Amino acid sequence: QVQLVESGGGLVQPGGSLRLSCAASGSIFSYYTMGWYRQAPGQQRDMVARITSGGSTNYADSVKGRFTISRDNAKNTVYLQMNSLKPEDTAVYYCNAFNPAPVSTYWGQGTQVTVSS
């Protein structure tokens, strides 16, 4: 079992930055692929960025070059640094933990990010 708690969301002006954090507890954090997903009103939940246990990353095309995912296994925490934010980045951001063997996935409660002037 893994518990995930996100923090760091808020209101920011276009062009600004935010850093989201996701603290994990309850299992062996370093084994999990960690990801950030987002969901805007009326839309599906989409992957934003993922980082494997080995540190490999991948990003949605819409955030490449602006967002950076990282993890600190000693602190059981994954981060999402978001720069050059745009209004279209407005959404609830969810942290995800995934382990393929055995298959298990966990979600945090979400944190709201609003980009508006």
Side-chain angles (χ1 to χ4, degrees), residues 32 43 48 50 60 65 69 81 101 105 112 116:
Y32 284 77
Q43 298 190 18
V48 175
R50 286 184 299 212
I69 189 171
Q81 178 66 44
T105 188
Q112 177 70 47
S116 175

Side-chain angles (χ1 to χ4, degrees), residues 4-22:
L4 304 173
V5 178
E6 302 103 332
S7 60
L11 173 65
V12 63
Q13 292 186 342
S17 298
L18 282 175
R19 189 176 81 154
L20 305 183
S21 299
C22 173

Side-chain angles (χ1 to χ4, degrees), residues 7-99:
S7 60
L11 173 65
V12 63
Q13 292 186 342
S17 298
L18 282 175
R19 189 176 81 154
L20 305 183
S21 299
C22 173
S25 61
S27 189
I28 305 174
F29 173 82
S30 61
Y31 289 177
Y32 284 77
T33 289
M34 300 300 298
W36 288 97
Y37 292 70
R38 66 187 181 188
Q39 187 169 21
Q43 298 190 18
Q44 66 181 19
R45 189 174 298 187
D46 293 323
M47 190 276 292
V48 175
R50 286 184 299 212
I51 184 167
T52 68
S53 58
S56 297
T57 59
N58 66 298
Y59 297 90
D61 287 343
S62 59
V63 307
K64 283 180 180 177
R66 300 189 297 124
F67 291 10
T68 302
I69 189 171
S70 61
R71 66 192 297 163
D72 185 336
N73 290 338
K75 296 182 178 179
N76 281 10
T77 302
V78 62
Y79 305 97
L80 185 68
Q81 178 66 44
M82 304 186 294
N83 298 329
S84 302
L85 282 160
K86 305 175 181 180
E88 51 263 44
D89 294 318
T90 296
V92 178
Y93 283 70
Y94 295 91
C95 180
N96 174 265
F98 174 75
N99 193 346

